[in-house]
Amino acid sequence: MNASLARLLLMPLLASPAAAAPAVTQVFLLIGQSNMAGRGPVGAEDRTPDPRVFALGKDLQWRPAVDPLAFDKPELVGVGPGLAFGKAVARAHPDWVVGLVPAAFGGSALGEWQPAGRHYRDALARARAALAGGARLAAVLWHQGESDAKPELAATYVERFRRFAASLRRDLGDPEVPIIAGEIGRFVAGQEPINRQLGLLPAAVPRCRLVSSAGLTDKGDHLHFDAPSARELGRRYAAAFAAAEAR
């Protein structure tokens, strides 16, 4: 057998990993800062994948979703709300294959999420790669505010977020995609002004929902959710998504 024929016969085998890639049908973009990326300690349940929940890796390849999903700060990443959210959505929709697109970056302020900014551009590129196979963009999940908790920044948050949301929807090509925002932890010092502003987002931004952080606890640093609270936050995001779908 000559070398050319051998290569032709091997081509289906070499292509098989791509052919076996999951047929993700619903994409969720996960953006914001560290509590969306996840900083909770990882346990066994966080390493247990669901057969219909996948995450887009740093290399833009789909893999079974396990924590940590994010890679913004590899030495710090842990459990966030994304995996619990994905599993809850998959349970609610047995015919869906859920694709999670982590693109949050710890410590980032809203001002760093403007269209010219690196985090915005990276999130947009990752979302477009995830949608290239024909999946539907189902929602954008946003958790950010700790870096904007100072009163002078919080005072302008709603208007700045409104512009950000409009730009993101335009650049994603979907002016109606739901955006689900979460309150920052109520254990964060000085959180009241920014949480009040986050509470105004559903009235200021069409098809925006708010997720409460009431009763959730930190991991001892008064900044990041512990793993059980991060999982519960993810389930609350799933409930808010279900409410947005029902409209």
Side-chain angles (χ1 to χ4, degrees), residues 173-184:
D174 190 344
E176 298 294 324
V177 65
I179 298 177
I180 305 170
E183 291 181 335
I184 70 170

Side-chain angles (χ1 to χ4, degrees), residues 119-144:
H119 304 320
Y120 184 100
R121 296 196 311 270
D122 288 349
L124 192 61
R126 289 177 56 74
R128 287 171 172 166
L131 295 168
R136 164 184 173 246
L137 179 62
V140 175
L141 275 58
W142 172 260
H143 197 283
Q144 190 279 336

Side-chain angles (χ1 to χ4, degrees), residues 73-97:
K73 297 183 179 181
E75 72 282 7
L76 298 176
V77 290
V79 177
L83 182 58
F85 168 84
K87 289 180 175 180
V89 169
R91 284 194 300 271
H93 298 276
D95 57 334
W96 285 10
V97 177

Side-chain angles (χ1 to χ4, degrees), residues 15-23 54:
S16 60
F54 293 83

Side-chain angles (χ1 to χ4, degrees), residues 144-160:
Q144 190 279 336
E146 294 90 347
S147 292
D148 288 81
K150 296 177 181 179
E152 62 272 22
L153 292 175
T156 62
Y157 193 90
V158 171
E159 179 56 27
R160 291 185 294 127

Side-chain angles (χ1 to χ4, degrees), residues 154-163 197-198 200-201 204-205:
T156 62
Y157 193 90
V158 171
E159 179 56 27
R160 291 185 294 127
F161 186 88
R162 189 188 63 77
R163 293 195 300 267
Q197 295 300 302
L198 288 166
L200 298 174
L201 293 181
V205 179

